[in-house]
C-alpha cells in the first residue's frame, strides 16, 4: 500500500507540493543544453539549470490524475507528516527559459497518460517474452 505523508499542510488539498515533470521535457532541456554548449554560449565550464514546471502538483493531485487516466483505484493511506518534509518545493526554471529557450510542454494529464501507457506496454512485452510459444520469442 502506498503512503501519503500528511494531509494537513497549507496546500489546496493538504498534501505536499512537488514539481513533477515529464521525462520528455527533461530530455528536450538536455538537448537544448548540449546545443548551448556546442554554440559556446556558456560563460564558464559549469552552468546549472533548474528543470521543472515551476508550479508543482500536490501528491493527491498526482494520485487522482493517475486514477482518472488509468481507471484504477490506487490503494493508499494517509499517514502523519514526516519530520523535515517541506510543504512545497518546485523549480525556478527562469534561467532555462531565458538561456536555453526551454519550457515544459507536457501537462499533468500528459504525464499520467504516458506513464500508464508505458506500464501497459511493459506488461504486454512481459507476456510476449515470457511466453511458452516459441514463435513469440
Amino acid at each position: 500500500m502506498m503512503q501519503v505523508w500528511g494531509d494537513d499542510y497549507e496546500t489546496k488539498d493538504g498534501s505536499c507540493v512537488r514539481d513533477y515533470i515529464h521525462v520528455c521535457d527533461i530530455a528536450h532541456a538536455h538537448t537544448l543544453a548540449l546545443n548551448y554548449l556546442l554554440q559556446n554560449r556558456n560563460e564558464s565550464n559549469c552552468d546549472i539549470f533548474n528543470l521543472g514546471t515551476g508550479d508543482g502538483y500536490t501528491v493527491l493531485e498526482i494520485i487522482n490524475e493517475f486514477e482518472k487516466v488509468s481507471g484504477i483505484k490506487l490503494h493508499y493511506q494517509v499517514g502523519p507528516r514526516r519530520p523535515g518534509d517541506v510543504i512545497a518545493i518546485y523549480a525556478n526554471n527562469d534561467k532555462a527559459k531565458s538561456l536555453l529557450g526551454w519550457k515544459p510542454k507536457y501537462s499533468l494529464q500528459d504525464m499520467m497518460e504516458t506513464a500508464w501507457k508505458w506500464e501497459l506496454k511493459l506488461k504486454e512485452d512481459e507476456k510476449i517474452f515470457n511466453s511458452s510459444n516459441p514463435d513469440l520469442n
Side-chain angles (χ1 to χ4, degrees):
M1 178 172 304
M2 193 167 42
Q3 183 83 18
V4 175
W5 301 104
D7 64 352
D8 60 348
Y9 291 96
E10 291 184 28
T11 63
K12 59 180 109 179
D13 62 20
S15 63
C16 291
V17 173
R18 299 294 181 258
D19 199 345
Y20 300 91
I21 186 168
H22 196 284
V23 67
C24 290
D25 281 329
I26 295 289
H28 182 227
H30 281 83
T31 301
L32 292 171
L34 286 171
N35 285 332
Y36 177 82
L37 291 172
L38 290 171
Q39 295 165 3
N40 292 316
R41 293 173 47 211
N42 52 312
E43 294 180 12
S44 69
N45 287 336
C46 181
D47 248 329
I48 298 171
F49 296 89
N50 287 321
L51 301 177
T53 64
D55 295 317
Y57 303 99
T58 68
V59 172
L60 291 175
E61 283 179 307
I62 296 294
I63 290 171
N64 292 333
E65 188 61 35
F66 184 81
E67 288 178 338
K68 188 168 84 175
V69 164
S70 69
I72 294 174
K73 176 80 174 130
L74 295 177
H75 301 287
Y76 67 93
Q77 64 184 18
V78 176
R81 290 181 180 199
R82 288 185 299 192
D85 260 353
V86 295
I87 295 171
I89 189 165
Y90 42 89
N92 177 343
N93 59 20
D94 292 344
K95 184 177 177 181
K97 285 180 176 181
S98 67
L99 294 181
L100 302 178
W102 175 82
K103 68 177 189 173
K105 72 175 194 173
Y106 291 92
S107 68
L108 175 58
Q109 182 179 354
D110 294 332
M111 286 187 262
M112 293 301 112
E113 283 177 350
T114 55
W116 181 237
K117 286 176 184 175
W118 175 256
E119 287 301 320
L120 293 176
K121 179 70 174 132
L122 288 177
K123 192 174 254 188
E124 183 182 305
D125 288 350
E126 187 177 306
K127 285 181 189 173
I128 291 170
F129 294 124
N130 292 331
S131 170
S132 60
N133 182 346
D135 294 335
L136 295 177
N137 292 324

